Amino acid sequence: MENQRISVFQQRNRWGITAVSLVLCLVLSPVLVLSLAVPQILMLLPVVLLWLLGCAGPVSAGGCIAILTGFSFYFLGGWGALSVLLFLAPVLIVSGALVERGSPMFIGAGVSSAAMFISCGLVMGLLTLLAGSDIVTAISGLCRQAFEATGKMGDSLLVMLMELGLIAEPDGLSYLESSGLLSLDAAARSDMIDQLILAIDSMLRLEIPMQMSTGSIAAGVIGQAALRKGLRSRGEAVDCPALHTWRIPEGWGRVLGGTWAILLVFSMLFAGRVSSMYYVFTGVVELLFSLQGIAAVCYLLHERGKGSVLKGIVFVLGFTLLRSMAIVLGIADQAVDITKRREKLGKTGWEISFTARKSER
């Protein structure tokens, strides 16, 4: 059954929700702009804006982007405002256009994820251009300057990191303690800062690509679901599979597992770039299987007639505190179909919820 063609960007605005969202955005914007360095907050913003686009209308989503861009200009200047605009606007435009064209949700999620990743790449490129070097080197340099400028407080932190085993004790280490703070000699301080910066640099060169990849996929999948749920709350008939039906197609599960195994072997045989690819791909696989594990639990709740509130709690816990458990459940569900979802729903089970929704209208 084909989707009903709707106009996402020309729909009527719900002015009550729009007013509340704009006021909240105005109040929270200073905190949000200064928290954009936190990956979880960074990737949550597009999801919230997509939900507002679907539920409240284009004025709400566009107004929030304008407010965030304005505060970014105030705090970070013109380049900061451009970065925020590049990060937020494309994924909303692409996601909305896909829904307007009647694309199925998971196709829309894939394209939205790609758009999100490209936006992240453009922002990283802009920041690299402004820094005059790659972004990791720039961050490492700022960290070095911070430790060199903090004096005894920085020395105390370096000693604490050494005691935690994060950096090694330099040869001939000696320090004085005064008023509860430690003071290192110049040679020891330089050696420990070099070790710390090397560790930070190595971590960021793995972590930034992984966060970009997993964050883009999460924003694409959950953002598409949020947009479509928002539209459904207005009575629109759009393809929006219920969470308990989400699962990786059987063949794709084998592809993901086989690719992961190959990269694992090559990462052990060849260091460097292959290890980076393995680290990034592992993050992507873990994200996908955690979503499948969450969906499996929600399916069991659905079978027992539990409501959406409990499913929402399961989603939040499985995506944050209990993510490792969700990954294990997702792998088990993919491998042996522990919930019997594939047997009961069939290979295209996600279409059932959309068909049922249409018949209700």
Side-chain angles (χ1 to χ4, degrees):
M1 186 176 293
E2 294 182 359
N3 294 337
Q4 176 181 324
R5 296 296 293 270
I6 62 173
S7 180
V8 175
F9 300 107
Q10 296 179 7
Q11 61 183 318
R12 290 185 304 169
N13 295 283
R14 288 175 165 177
W15 293 110
I17 300 176
T18 297
V20 172
S21 65
L22 293 177
V23 170
L24 285 175
C25 185
L26 194 62
V27 172
L28 297 176
S29 280
V31 177
L32 291 174
V33 169
L34 296 177
S35 303
L36 289 179
V38 181
Q40 289 76 11
I41 294 177
L42 197 63
M43 293 303 175
L44 181 63
L45 277 176
V47 175
V48 174
L49 291 172
L50 283 166
W51 179 79
L52 287 174
L53 177 62
C55 181
V59 170
S60 175
C64 287
I65 290 178
I67 291 171
L68 290 168
T69 303
F71 272 95
S72 299
F73 181 81
Y74 178 79
F75 285 109
L76 306 173
W79 292 112
L82 179 59
S83 298
V84 170
L85 194 61
L86 277 175
F87 179 74
L88 295 176
V91 70
L92 262 71
I93 296 171
V94 170
S95 298
L98 288 165
V99 174
E100 286 190 347
R101 291 175 60 86
S103 299
M105 177 178 147
F106 291 113
I107 293 178
V111 177
S112 295
S113 298
M116 189 80 254
F117 188 81
I118 292 171
S119 292
C120 290
L122 290 173
V123 172
M124 294 296 292
L126 181 61
L127 295 177
T128 297
L129 180 65
L130 294 174
S133 60
D134 69 89
I135 192 65
V136 174
T137 301
I139 295 174
S140 299
L142 290 174
C143 292
R144 179 183 294 277
Q145 293 175 18
F147 272 97
E148 290 175 346
T150 49
K152 292 182 179 179
M153 186 175 296
D155 290 352
S156 299
L157 181 57
L158 287 170
V159 172
M160 183 184 70
L161 293 173
M162 180 191 72
E163 292 174 347
L164 291 173
L166 299 178
I167 55 178
E169 180 178 340
D171 295 333
L173 173 66
S174 63
Y175 52 82
L176 301 174
E177 184 171 359
S178 175
S179 302
L181 296 175
L182 302 175
S183 179
L184 296 166
D185 63 83
R189 181 187 299 110
S190 177
D191 190 347
M192 295 170 78
I193 289 177
D194 287 344
Q195 291 184 55
L196 180 61
I197 297 305
L198 179 61
I200 291 173
D201 188 272
S202 301
M203 178 195 70
L204 289 177
R205 292 188 187 281
L206 292 174
E207 196 66 25
I208 288 179
M210 195 269 282
Q211 291 290 347
M212 283 178 59
S213 302
T214 57
S216 297
I217 293 172
V221 175
I222 302 173
Q224 274 285 324
L227 172 60
R228 292 163 189 263
K229 284 289 186 182
L231 289 168
R232 276 191 154 191
S233 71
R234 304 168 67 102
E236 300 287 355
V238 292
D239 180 23
C240 186
L243 176 60
H244 68 270
T245 66
W246 291 13
R247 63 188 184 276
I248 301 168
E250 191 172 0
W252 279 102
R254 297 193 191 99
V255 171
L256 288 172
T259 305
W260 180 83
I262 292 171
L263 287 175
L264 174 61
V265 172
F266 275 90
S267 69
M268 292 187 292
L269 296 176
F270 309 101
R273 187 173 297 275
V274 177
S275 297
S276 301
M277 292 172 60
Y278 167 73
Y279 185 81
V280 172
F281 192 77
T282 297
V284 171
V285 171
E286 288 179 350
L287 170 66
L288 295 175
F289 280 120
S290 68
L291 288 173
Q292 174 143 339
I294 292 167
V297 175
C298 289
Y299 177 79
L300 296 176
L301 295 175
H302 174 77
E303 289 289 285
R304 288 161 177 75
K306 303 300 181 182
S308 57
V309 174
L310 185 56
K311 294 177 185 177
I313 294 172
V314 168
F315 183 87
V316 173
L317 291 176
F319 211 71
T320 54
L321 300 177
L322 303 178
R323 190 174 180 188
S324 297
M325 186 180 298
I327 293 169
V328 173
L329 286 173
I331 294 173
D333 186 58
Q334 180 69 24
V336 297
D337 193 22
I338 57 174
T339 60
K340 306 301 181 185
R341 289 192 300 155
R342 190 177 297 117
E343 176 184 330
K344 295 179 180 178
L345 299 178
K347 293 185 177 180
T348 56
W350 59 78
E351 295 176 357
I352 291 175
S353 62
F354 178 47
T355 305
R357 181 78 177 197
K358 284 262 191 169
S359 63
E360 292 171 4
R361 289 174 52 81

